[in-house]
Amino acid sequence: MDDDVDRTGGDGAHGRDPEPGAPLLLRLDEPARTWTDAFPVGNGRLGAMVHGGTAHERLQVNDDTCWSGAPLTGPVEPVGPLGDDGAPGVVRRARALLAADDPLAAEAELARLQSGWVQAYQPLVDVLVEQPGAAGDAGYRRTLDLGRGVATTTWRSAGGAGWRQDVLVSHPDQALLLERTLDAREPDGDGGEAWVRLTSPHPWAAPPARAGAPGDGPAVVVATLDLPSHVLPDWVADPEPVRYGGRAVHAAVALAVLADGAGASVQVVDGAVRVRGARRLRVVLTSATDHDVAAGALHGDRDRVVADALAGCRRAVAGVDGLAARHVADHAALLGRVDLDLGAPAPDLPLDARLVRHAAGEPDPHLAVLAFQHGRYLTVAGSRPGTLPLNLQGIWNDRVRPPWSSNYTININTEMNYWPTLVGDLAECHEPLLGWLDRLAVAGGSTARTLYGVRGWVAHHNSDPWCFTGPTGRGHDSASWSSWPLGGAWLARHVVDHHDWTGDVDALRRHWPVVRGAALAVLDLLVELPDGSLGTSPATSPENLYLLPDGRPASVAVSTTSDLAIVRDLLEHVRRLAPAAGDHDEHLRAAVDGALERLPTERVAPDGRLAEWRTDVPDAEPEHRHQSHLYRVFPGTSIDPDTSPALAAAAARTLDARGPDSTGWSLAWRLALRARLRDPEGVDALVRAFLHPVDAGPAEPGPQRGGVYRSLLCAHPPFQIDGNLGFTAGVAEALVQAHHRGPDGVREVHLLPALPTAWPAGRVRGLRLRGGLRLADLVWRDGRVVRAVLESDRPVVVDVRERGADARRQVAVRPGCPGLVEPVPRG
């Protein structure tokens, strides 16, 4: 670090110390042409995609409790046939077939355990605003203010009048608000006639109709609908993929329309609201369902659902004048905890043009700032205490049969959704995942007993709010994804991480059954191999395949690297945290210790890569999107260039072999991996790859590569939110790491461990680190730290080092007494 650690002056690209609070605006200069062009707003439960039309506006609305299906009523039901020894007998036969070197027969055997599919996340309604008198495109601009949580559209009508529309979804008021206003500087005129309508892709149980008697107040309409009782995944062929009429979520929507202006009026006509003469039009929407998230149950009281929606709407209308201010204060209080500036201003261009220029090689560090904060924004807008966890699309989806059912894909994607919450100082937004895990572990206990005859709990690669935990399919899904019982073991790491960041012992003890149960299951699933080691059989490496000697692809094997990495990571955390959790079971401790002594660690293959399989077999798809065998690099913390240099080098070779392109979410994961491996050039390449615009022009020949849509939503393609959230975590990992403890137990804080040369100057404030630490301030110039301040909510001593320096300085931090990091000499 420079000697002058407090110097904050200077200017220019390599000298400016940015000030926090610069507007974080996503900007596009035309209305949405597709759903992925729209901007998302939300409050954790209620979400909307704002299309930004002038004469015709569409708000596509979701409620996070709206899923197909209903709570499960019994254990998983394998398709079979199983035989007299039941499902555990199937597992034993598959294990024997693997021992006999017949993995394809083992796959066919395991297909008997498949038990159906998860349910699908559902759209709720569309709010349509039709206002021909406001039509126009002159001066058009729409923005999403990440810091305020407001989508704004401004334009001039064909007659020259200025218009502004703001859309937000308030957490304090649990309501959506659209406000469309004629510029006050326009002394005459109004918006003419406008119509506000509700539509839904689902049949109405009761169509939109006036609630209450006509009067001078706002027009309020209410509608109800029943969600499908069953929806098959979009890739499953079936004559009746969407079914209504059985047990399902019941939903109600209440919509109020207010009009201001001399002579303004509102009237409900055939379930729609006609507005005349309004200079300001406000639409308030609330929703309710009978889906009790905490219990994972349906209460079934239809009258209560309608009453809840109407009561929420009337409360919001009563306080409508302060609703926007309450929302902005609430949203900004969360998003404003972390500030990042990479020392470069935002060019005065719309987002799509900036993405194209950036892809052509034009530097634009501010794009990375927007993408970093966009991930935090989506977390705040999509995950709040009391809601369900973020699914594959967060809380935003317009399809009855969305891609992959918009479910919880727990062999990477759901976990990635929550990678930025703790480092991004949004610990309360982590709670929906932890609460759901408590219920998932209970359901997974039945699956563990039924399918494997083991203790604890298991979950496979897909789940939903009803806590489906079985292998997907009806005997036809690929074993490469379906036959993987370690979803619970991976998810349990989030309980561990929550404690390691926050130090919340009460939360650790409350959720400890998730961790303990996952550990019991993996202990029982381990088998002794011929060499005396412990391993897993049957095993897969999620969604990947290898080639048999005759060239046929196979997925089931013995002791895949990812299996052993996840198991080792889990058991090490159980051994470390059991005392803090109040778990003093000596039998468990002995079993964990014994298993860890016999578990193999990762190995380096002859070609220098980190081996993915127990034996050296060819890859069926060398550039595969999953890299689960690198689990202990990231999200694990056990392999890095200091602690395991040979394995870290092999992990880097693995990433090299995977190639430069992949799906959007895989690029985000690779970004975090490269950062953990302290590879600034790799970080730079992956930032550029992630920010590749997938919809900037004609489709490229061959498979469509991942990146982002013009709205900055991540493209698998199609849209998946996990990439947006994983990108945020990867950027944070490039700026600071605090996962390592030295031999003396002192935590290391590594500043700028993987800073790319494209970000020579910058400042970050507010990132949270393991051990209860907070990076209160970090300023760098010319790639060198010039100021670093640490805070802590408890007394702690840390070793601080800087990128490129081996020397460390110990810094003591106490509550209320920040630690100013002194210069660290180069060594």
Side-chain angles (χ1 to χ4, degrees):
M1 297 182 190
D2 294 345
D3 290 340
D4 183 9
V5 297
D6 272 322
R7 182 163 54 88
T8 57
D11 53 22
H14 294 263
R16 185 175 69 91
D17 283 344
E19 289 299 319
L24 296 167
L25 295 180
L26 307 187
R27 168 190 156 197
L28 289 169
D29 287 354
E30 63 177 359
R33 287 180 270 163
T34 64
W35 184 86
T36 52
D37 282 354
F39 284 142
V41 291
N43 67 357
R45 181 184 63 84
L46 195 61
M49 293 292 281
V50 185
H51 286 63
T54 59
H56 307 280
E57 173 61 297
R58 177 194 179 199
L59 307 183
Q60 186 269 310
V61 179
N62 291 98
D63 180 311
D64 86 316
T65 63
C66 288
W67 287 72
S68 64
L72 303 173
T73 57
V76 294
E77 297 182 1
V79 66
L82 300 180
D84 293 339
D85 48 2
V90 171
V91 177
R92 287 191 291 270
R93 288 191 291 276
R95 192 173 295 148
L97 288 165
L98 286 168
D101 203 23
D102 194 349
L104 296 182
E107 291 179 13
E109 191 69 26
L110 290 171
R112 302 175 190 273
L113 299 183
Q114 295 179 13
S115 57
W117 293 279
V118 299
Q119 293 300 325
Y121 183 52
Q122 293 297 299
L124 180 59
V125 295
D126 283 3
V127 178
L128 305 178
V129 179
E130 300 171 12
Q131 191 170 18
D137 57 11
Y140 183 94
R141 177 173 295 185
R142 64 185 173 100
T143 61
L144 176 61
D145 189 329
L146 303 179
R148 299 173 65 247
V150 180
T152 298
T153 308
T154 54
W155 72 98
R156 300 195 73 81
S157 69
W163 285 90
R164 176 187 178 103
Q165 175 182 282
D166 292 310
V167 181
L168 58 90
V169 184
S170 167
H171 184 259
D173 289 272
Q174 288 295 304
L176 177 150
L177 172 65
L178 175 149
E179 182 170 327
R180 178 175 278 219
T181 308
L182 183 66
D183 194 325
R185 292 170 294 184
E186 305 287 345
D188 301 315
D190 53 51
E193 184 174 85
W195 287 86
V196 182
R197 292 183 171 87
L198 284 175
T199 66
S200 178
H202 306 293
W204 298 115
R210 170 177 281 280
D216 296 330
V220 179
V221 298
V222 64
T224 62
L225 49 90
D226 293 314
L227 279 296
S229 57
H230 189 69
V231 173
L232 288 171
D234 61 329
W235 47 268
V236 174
D238 189 272
E240 191 181 7
V242 180
R243 304 171 200 164
Y244 292 90
R247 293 177 65 233
V249 174
H250 182 68
V253 175
L255 180 141
V257 179
L258 299 84
D260 296 318
S265 66
V266 292
Q267 181 183 11
V268 178
V269 180
D270 296 329
V273 180
R274 181 170 62 195
V275 182
R276 290 174 171 164
R279 293 180 62 89
R280 179 173 66 167
L281 167 66
R282 288 182 288 182
V283 178
V284 175
L285 180 141
T286 57
S287 67
T289 75
D290 65 341
H291 182 174
D292 183 335
V293 167
L298 302 179
H299 65 66
D301 186 338
R302 290 172 173 258
D303 292 339
R304 174 180 158 191
V305 172
V306 172
D308 287 348
L310 281 171
C313 186
R314 286 167 177 148
R315 283 193 300 269
V317 168
V320 68
D321 290 335
L323 192 151
R326 290 189 295 274
H327 158 74
V328 170
D330 170 77
H331 178 91
L334 292 173
L335 202 88
R337 292 173 180 173
V338 174
D339 178 74
L340 173 65
D341 193 313
L342 294 178
D348 186 17
L349 290 169
L351 191 55
D352 48 358
R354 292 174 65 182
L355 289 168
V356 170
R357 281 170 31 120
H358 186 261
E362 186 75 22
D364 190 351
H366 188 258
L367 267 182
V369 174
L370 288 178
F372 169 84
Q373 294 286 24
H374 189 222
R376 296 184 65 248
Y377 167 85
L378 293 169
T379 300
V380 172
S383 184
R384 294 292 194 102
T387 69
L388 285 165
L390 294 157
N391 63 55
L392 279 177
Q393 296 182 205
I395 60 170
W396 299 276
N397 163 53
D398 67 333
R399 303 185 195 179
V400 175
R401 297 181 77 193
W404 298 286
S405 301
S406 200
N407 63 23
Y408 300 127
T409 304
I410 60 176
N411 62 11
I412 174 61
N413 312 92
T414 301
E415 291 89 345
M416 183 184 287
N417 281 354
Y418 284 90
W419 286 352
T421 54
L422 297 169
V423 69
D425 198 5
L426 298 171
E428 55 268 78
C429 297
H430 203 215
E431 291 180 19
L433 179 65
L434 301 181
W436 177 69
L437 287 182
D438 292 339
R439 293 195 292 111
L440 190 71
V442 174
S446 172
T447 303
R449 294 187 298 273
T450 300
L451 296 190
Y452 302 100
V454 301
R455 300 171 296 168
W457 72 283
V458 300
H460 294 74
H461 92 295
N462 269 187
S463 193
D464 57 23
W466 318 125
C467 296
F468 179 95
T469 55
T472 62
R474 285 290 181 189
H476 302 292
D477 271 14
S478 170
S480 68
W481 61 75
S482 182
S483 299
W484 182 77
L486 293 182
W490 189 329
L491 284 165
R493 184 178 177 92
H494 278 273
V495 176
V496 171
D497 284 342
H498 193 85
H499 173 266
D500 286 353
W501 255 276
T502 67
D504 188 340
V505 175
D506 290 339
L508 177 68
R509 294 183 174 182
R510 186 165 61 252
H511 301 296
W512 185 249
V514 171
V515 180
R516 178 186 172 88
L520 290 173
V522 300
L523 287 169
D524 287 357
L525 287 169
L526 291 172
V527 296
E528 184 173 5
L529 301 179
D531 62 2
S533 67
L534 293 180
T536 54
S537 178
T540 59
S541 191
E543 303 194 27
N544 209 352
L545 303 165
Y546 62 94
L547 296 178
L548 297 173
D550 62 5
R552 289 181 296 171
S555 59
V556 174
V558 175
S559 281
T560 57
T561 299
S562 62
D563 268 16
L564 298 184
I566 292 168
V567 169
R568 173 173 289 279
D569 187 74
L570 173 62
L571 296 182
E572 287 177 344
H573 290 309
V574 169
R575 181 166 63 183
R576 176 173 65 91
L577 291 176
D583 188 341
H584 303 292
D585 185 340
E586 293 300 325
H587 295 291
L588 176 62
R589 173 61 184 252
V592 167
D593 288 344
L596 287 172
E597 289 176 2
R598 300 173 63 189
L599 277 176
T601 57
E602 293 86 347
R603 68 181 181 88
V604 180
D607 62 5
R609 293 181 298 162
L610 196 73
E612 186 165 1
W613 311 92
R614 188 166 181 253
T615 57
D616 296 317
V617 291
D619 292 319
E621 187 183 342
E623 297 179 352
H624 198 264
R625 62 197 176 276
H626 285 255
Q627 39 268 330
S628 306
H629 57 308
L630 306 187
Y631 179 91
R632 291 207 309 148
V633 179
F634 191 94
T637 57
S638 302
I639 297 176
D640 64 33
D642 287 335
T643 58
S644 307
L647 295 179
R653 287 287 300 273
T654 298
L655 291 173
D656 293 342
R658 283 294 204 255
D661 294 327
S662 193
T663 60
W665 64 263
S666 185
L667 295 172
W669 189 3
R670 294 177 188 185
L671 170 62
L673 288 163
R674 290 286 189 182
R676 181 60 59 82
L677 295 171
R678 302 181 204 151
D679 179 0
E681 291 78 16
V683 167
D684 183 59
L686 284 159
V687 168
R688 286 186 281 109
F690 180 82
L691 292 173
H692 165 74
V694 300
D695 56 354
E700 299 175 7
Q704 191 174 14
R705 61 185 285 190
V708 293
Y709 297 103
R710 59 172 54 89
S711 63
L712 213 57
L713 290 175
C714 177
H716 180 297
F719 163 56
Q720 283 187 197
I721 202 172
D722 41 23
N724 292 111
L725 301 161
F727 180 88
T728 300
V731 169
E733 201 73 21
L735 299 177
V736 60
Q737 296 175 16
H739 63 277
H740 178 60
R741 286 183 182 269
D744 56 359
V746 175
R747 185 173 300 280
E748 176 185 284
V749 176
H750 195 167
L751 304 175
L752 307 180
L755 183 76
T757 56
W759 304 342
R763 185 176 208 162
V764 64
R765 298 180 177 185
L767 291 176
R768 289 282 183 173
L769 311 179
R770 289 177 173 86
L773 292 163
R774 178 175 180 266
L775 186 61
D777 199 10
L778 174 63
V779 182
W780 68 94
R781 278 186 228 109
D782 298 314
R784 297 284 304 276
V785 174
V786 296
R787 175 178 169 83
V789 180
L790 295 170
E791 296 177 346
S792 176
D793 53 13
R794 54 188 181 272
V796 65
V797 174
V798 297
D799 284 337
V800 181
R801 65 186 292 201
E802 182 189 345
R803 166 179 174 253
D806 293 328
R808 294 159 170 79
R809 288 288 177 86
Q810 284 206 339
V811 176
V813 188
R814 298 186 303 278
C817 185
L820 178 64
V821 179
E822 295 296 331
V824 175
R826 301 273 171 170

